[in-house]
Amino acid sequence: MRTIATIPASGRPGLAGWQRYLLTILACAAMALVATPLRDVLDLANIVMLFLLTVLLVAVTLGLRAALLAAFLSVGLFDFFFVPPRFSFVVNDGQYLVTFAVMLAVAIITGRLTAGLRQKADESATEAARAQALYEMARDLTGALTIEQVVDSTSHFLANVLDARAALLFADSAGRMQTAGASVGVEPRLATIAFEQGRPVDCQPLAAGYAVLYLPLKAPMRVRGVIAVAPADSTLATEALLDQRQRLEAMASLVAIAIERLHYVEVAQRTQVQMVAERLRSSILSAVSHDLRTPLTALVGLADSLTVSKPPLSSAARETAEAIREQSEQLCSLVGNLLDMARLHAGEVTLRKEWQPIEEVIGSSIKLLGRALAEHPVKVTLAPGLPLIEFDSVLIERVFCNLLENAAKYSPPGAGIEIRVQVEEGRARVDVIDGGPGFPVRDGAPLFEMFVRGAAESTTPGVGLGLAICRAIIEAHAGAIAASNLPQGGGCLTFFLPLGTPPVIEEEVAVPQPGSET
Amino acid sequence: MSEAAPIVLIVEDEKQIRRFVRTALEDEGCRVFEAETSGKGLVAAGECIPDLVMLDLGLPDGNGVDFIRDFRHWSDAPILVLSARSHENDKIWALDAGADDYLTKPFGVGELLARARALLRRPHRGEAASPVVAFGDVRVDLSRRVVTRRAETVHLTPIEYHLLCLLIAHPGKVLTQRHLLREVWGGNNVESPHYLRVYVGHLRQKLEDDPAQPKYLLTETGVGYRFQP
């Protein structure tokens, strides 16, 4: 996993405890000051009311603890400054003790109630703000076009609303989690657990700045990553953060959906680019193929029409025409080989695999070569009970054509060619055996490289693409190809094709003739 | 073939290819018309009413398949498609659209004439077709539904017989896999071509001298099958 970003911390404005108490003291002192000139005008009971008002105001603005402090302070100040004898806590009239007790009780109760109400109001305002923030984050995520934007929205939300920061982690291609450069400390093992098991993991932070909660980013298709959350400043807020777990989980699923959406956007874009590239490549190949083949087709046809022209040509001219035809045909097959190789090398040849008997392509390739095999009778030996094999018939036909052509090219006229097919070690084994001198004794591999020919200086035509094409096709079928020499002479090219589980052909009941049509 | 010289229309954009095809066909006794685009080809076809069309699939104004569709609206004269190798899909589309056969570029004069003769020989609609088809030492009596080889009855299953009838009903014509599957097994089995391959294999076993190198029931790899009498 790699860490995409760390969400920064940010403080939240508010009054520290000592500031609240100072304000409380000041408020009570101020009330004592204001009330002092009024003590001749007002009854002491009304002075009590003024102090109670102060406690109420403190409770509303500064909270419960300040209100409690204000209650005691008010009673003290009232006693000291207003109850005779003044400037002393001594009380002449015992009735004032009741006043103090009632005053304290009323102050504490009203303070508590007010502060409680205030706290509830604050809490619901915070809740509303957080819900609003979550909604806004959801809205931002819907419009996010990059991972960075997702990270921004998430960090904004966490910092402003939950007083936390986080690191987003994603699985790399190897499925490992990496936390390079994160300012939120991440324990990779816990992140992996959250990622693999798809459940939240919380823990005691290892040190300040370490994540306390690992939430999996669970999207509809799969877990997309992990978000590791840490409180913004100190470990003190850990509890508060864990209290917000539901909200954090809601956030995690929003992020997960956004990331999955981005993932599919990327997949769609990549596919489109690939499709465009593929279309371009194939249109270039077919344009080249068309432009090269058209004049060659004309050349073959024109030369051929000379050989059959009426009145017939002189035998020398006829031979020339035949030679032109032959050479053009060779050029054409060379062009075909080069284009095939280009297609195969581009890796963009899609196999149209179908289950079929292999003898069918053997038959069609022998038929296709026709004249080239005129001097080399082909014997086909099939092991009984050969299963259907799954392959691309056009490409495997190409393999047979190339192998047969090769065999014919390197065999003396009249020498036969044999094709044997059998099952060997769970694979189909095909041997093409010629009556030629065999392959030069070298390590077999270079034979199948492009432009490698058995006999470098020979007059036999060809540039050595044939076997390279065979290898590319066979390898695309997850097979193998090799050359060997037979002890009794002659070369043997062997290729293997994997056998799968062929589909079942339902037997049909034979009816005696004259039968009826289905 | 009718008594009058057969009329052949060549739709091909390459002048030199048209030239040698024309020479070869004229030597064979055909009257030849030419067009270099699919649009001009349709107009020319309307004027000369060809007995055979030779159509290049790579025309500058279309892929040739449109030509076949338009032409098939009013004529069922055979169409021979000229196409480059490794374009199996183009061939299948052309054949499914109504073409009869294809010739892979480059091709020699001999091949060209052999295909043209086979297509021109095909009985036209309305002519009485014989109920007996013979090839090699096989006789198929369609009226009695009896297949004999060297005077011995060959037992065929209903599917084999149906497949054989389809193939021999269109001598020389390439029938696509999809077409055969649909005709014999119904529309639901178009995606199971192995059935077709296995049954063609059965027919070859029963009717061909060397099933591995068939003479009559030929495979057009990647495209379909052809009955070559």
Side-chain angles (χ1 to χ4, degrees), chain A residues 309-328:
Chain A
S309 66
K310 291 168 196 167
L313 297 175
S314 70
S315 68
R318 204 185 133 90
E319 268 171 38
T320 310
E322 268 166 13
I324 293 174
R325 181 202 153 115
E326 225 163 82
Q327 296 297 314
S328 322

Side-chain angles (χ1 to χ4, degrees), chain A residues 292-293 295-304 321-335, chain B residues 106:
Chain A
L292 286 172
R293 267 204 195 104
L296 285 170
T297 303
L299 208 51
V300 170
L302 289 169
D304 209 27
E322 268 166 13
I324 293 174
R325 181 202 153 115
E326 225 163 82
Q327 296 297 314
S328 322
E329 272 180 341
Q330 267 172 27
L331 198 54
C332 221
S333 103
L334 170 61
V335 165

Side-chain angles (χ1 to χ4, degrees), chain A residues 304 360 397 508 513 517, chain B residues 109 145 157 159 197 221 225:
Chain A
D304 209 27
E360 191 159 54
E397 182 185 78
E508 190 200 12
Q513 292 285 323
E517 214 178 309
Chain B
V109 171
R145 300 191 174 197
T157 67
I159 288 181
R197 297 212 159 101
T221 304
Y225 292 94

Side-chain angles (χ1 to χ4, degrees), chain A residues 446-468:
Chain A
L447 206 56
F448 295 98
E449 297 293 333
M450 273 195 278
F451 309 115
V452 169
R453 301 181 55 198
E457 305 296 326
S458 87
T459 50
T460 317
V463 290
L465 269 177
L467 290 182

Side-chain angles (χ1 to χ4, degrees), chain A residues 294 297 301-302 304 325 332 340 352 354-356 360 363-364 378 393 397 503 505-506 508 513 515-518, chain B residues 14 20 85 89 105-106 108-109 145 154 156-159 162 193-195 197 199 204 212-213 219 221 225:
Chain A
T294 304
T297 303
L302 289 169
D304 209 27
R325 181 202 153 115
C332 221
D340 281 354
R352 286 174 39 194
E354 285 172 1
W355 292 97
Q356 50 204 309
E360 191 159 54
S364 63
V378 181
S393 54
E397 182 185 78
I505 302 279
E506 287 159 32
E508 190 200 12
Q513 292 285 323
S516 62
E517 214 178 309
T518 45
Chain B
E14 176 56 39
F20 87 77
R85 191 174 59 76
N89 281 334
K105 290 180 182 179
V109 171
R145 300 191 174 197
V154 181
L156 295 182
T157 67
I159 288 181
H162 191 175
H194 52 276
Y195 270 85
R197 297 212 159 101
Y199 276 89
R204 285 182 182 147
Q213 297 185 45
T219 306
T221 304
Y225 292 94

Side-chain angles (χ1 to χ4, degrees), chain A residues 338-470:
Chain A
L338 282 169
L339 289 169
D340 281 354
M341 206 63 220
R343 284 204 181 90
L344 288 163
H345 257 225
E348 300 296 344
V349 172
T350 39
L351 297 184
R352 286 174 39 194
K353 279 180 162 185
E354 285 172 1
W355 292 97
Q356 50 204 309
I358 198 164
E359 59 264 33
E360 191 159 54
V361 282
I362 297 177
S364 63
S365 39
I366 293 171
K367 175 103 184 135
L368 206 62
L369 287 179
R371 261 196 319 191
L373 293 174
E375 291 176 336
H376 305 280
V378 181
K379 187 181 158 205
V380 182
T381 314
L382 303 168
L386 276 178
L388 297 184
I389 304 171
E390 195 181 25
F391 57 85
D392 182 314
S393 54
V394 174
L395 292 180
I396 295 296
E397 182 185 78
R398 189 100 183 89
V399 171
F400 275 111
C401 282
N402 284 357
L403 293 183
L404 286 170
E405 225 172 358
N406 209 62
K409 222 183 318 187
Y410 291 100
S411 300
I417 299 170
E418 192 182 353
I419 299 178
R420 282 189 213 146
V421 188
Q422 59 200 308
V423 173
E424 190 183 280
E425 291 165 0
R427 295 186 295 178
R429 176 190 170 133
V430 181
D431 297 290
V432 179
I433 299 155
D434 64 47
F439 297 100
V441 186
R442 282 194 309 217
D443 46 339
L447 206 56
F448 295 98
E449 297 293 333
M450 273 195 278
F451 309 115
V452 169
R453 301 181 55 198
E457 305 296 326
S458 87
T459 50
T460 317
V463 290
L465 269 177
L467 290 182
I469 288 173
C470 290

